[in-house]
Amino acid sequence: MACTGAYMLPAIFVETMVEIYPEDVAQSALLMRLSSLTARETVVRLYAVASWIWGSFMLMDGIHTILAVVTVITGLFRPADWPPLFGKPTEACGLRRFWGRFWHRLAVRSYSNYGRLVAQSFGMLQHSHRTPGAGAVIAFTVFLISGLTHQVISWRLGTNDWLDLQWYLLNFAACFAETVIVSAVRSAAKQAGWARELAVIERSWLGWAIGFMWTFSFFFWGVPLWKFPRLHKQVTSFDRWMSIFSKMTIVPPT
């Protein structure tokens, strides 16, 4: 492990990057400067994505496993009462599948119920009728509440930004765009008489690879927008304190 201010780098990154400097995370935007992307920035971005997914997975799944073992051994619950918290990584082939099948769904049911109430208030969800936009309203509500809850926690921890809420709303927008594009492609394939061929591609390794690359590309671009500003503040603060400490001298007692 290599020290990076307030962060620890996984060993896989040590050979490429020993320490993160403020300039490494000073620019979170990417699309307008792809030609200037360096190998070091690529590694930093990969680290940001990996640390978020892997760190969240290890923490939450670890707590879930410990609680499951304790409550099953003590007879409070049965093993069947503790289904896996996360899905299989292979199911993350597409942003909607990442959030809907791989990522944990601890609060999805309760948040979805709020979304259904919102959809009902707009007349989009009735007992025997559901308009096409109802699903989007429910999904938006889930991402909105998720963003707000994470944002409140971040505020309690001392941040003063809106990055968590922005991140979750950005994911909703990307999932919505994915839905629209996939629906348009399927509609075009159906009109052209290629619906069966498209379905075969979607179920093949090629369809999985396309979905996975889309998910990876979105996170490679989007996670730094969320993580870099805070990481930049932490690394800058760490460097400032290290500079102060380096100028201090210990005066021996006389």
Side-chain angles (χ1 to χ4, degrees):
M1 305 289 281
C3 184
T4 61
Y7 283 74
M8 299 296 287
L9 279 176
I12 190 174
F13 296 102
V14 172
E15 294 298 327
T16 309
M17 181 173 55
V18 177
E19 185 176 359
I20 292 181
Y21 299 101
E23 56 268 24
D24 291 328
V25 290
Q27 299 188 70
S28 57
L30 178 64
L31 293 181
M32 302 303 295
R33 55 180 193 84
L34 280 174
S35 59
S36 62
L37 181 66
T38 64
R40 182 178 178 85
E41 182 181 353
T42 299
V43 174
V44 175
R45 286 177 171 270
L46 290 174
Y47 161 67
V49 175
S51 63
W52 163 56
I53 296 177
W54 183 249
S56 300
F57 177 87
M58 291 298 294
L59 175 63
M60 301 183 69
D61 197 60
I63 295 174
H64 176 268
T65 301
I66 293 173
L67 291 176
V69 171
V70 172
T71 56
V72 170
I73 291 177
T74 56
L76 294 175
F77 293 97
R78 300 169 300 169
D81 296 324
W82 291 91
L85 189 60
F86 289 83
K88 299 178 181 179
T90 54
E91 294 179 313
C93 54
L95 206 55
R96 293 174 300 170
R97 292 172 66 93
F98 175 90
W99 290 109
R101 298 192 181 185
F102 167 68
W103 204 244
H104 73 85
R105 299 175 61 81
L106 288 174
V108 170
R109 177 176 295 181
S110 58
Y111 292 176
S112 296
N113 288 335
Y114 288 117
R116 292 186 181 92
L117 289 176
V118 174
Q120 288 177 357
S121 67
F122 286 104
M124 306 175 70
L125 190 63
Q126 304 298 332
H127 294 292
S128 58
H129 178 68
R130 174 171 174 166
T131 63
V137 171
I138 295 173
F140 174 78
T141 304
V142 171
F143 278 105
L144 176 63
I145 299 177
S146 297
L148 288 173
T149 53
H150 284 81
Q151 191 64 67
V152 169
I153 294 173
S154 294
W155 286 339
R156 295 290 296 175
L157 293 175
T159 62
N160 57 356
D161 54 45
W162 292 85
L163 292 174
D164 293 304
L165 180 59
Q166 293 172 10
W167 166 245
Y168 281 92
L169 292 182
L170 180 63
N171 274 270
F172 164 76
C175 288
F176 183 78
E178 179 184 298
T179 301
V180 172
I181 293 173
V182 170
S183 297
V185 171
R186 288 174 177 172
S187 178
K190 183 177 181 180
Q191 293 180 0
W194 297 341
R196 181 176 299 178
E197 289 78 1
L198 179 61
V200 171
I201 293 175
E202 289 181 355
R203 293 192 297 266
S204 69
W205 67 268
L206 179 59
W208 179 89
I210 293 173
F212 182 82
M213 287 304 299
W214 149 240
T215 305
F216 169 79
S217 299
F218 175 79
F219 287 151
F220 184 81
W221 165 74
V223 170
L225 295 175
W226 175 32
K227 295 293 186 180
F228 275 15
R230 292 176 182 172
L231 184 56
H232 182 265
K233 290 181 180 179
Q234 293 180 6
V235 175
T236 302
S237 177
F238 177 81
D239 286 353
R240 186 181 302 115
W241 281 107
M242 289 300 296
S243 177
I244 294 174
F245 290 147
S246 65
K247 297 177 182 178
M248 292 182 177
T249 57
I250 300 177
V251 179
T254 57

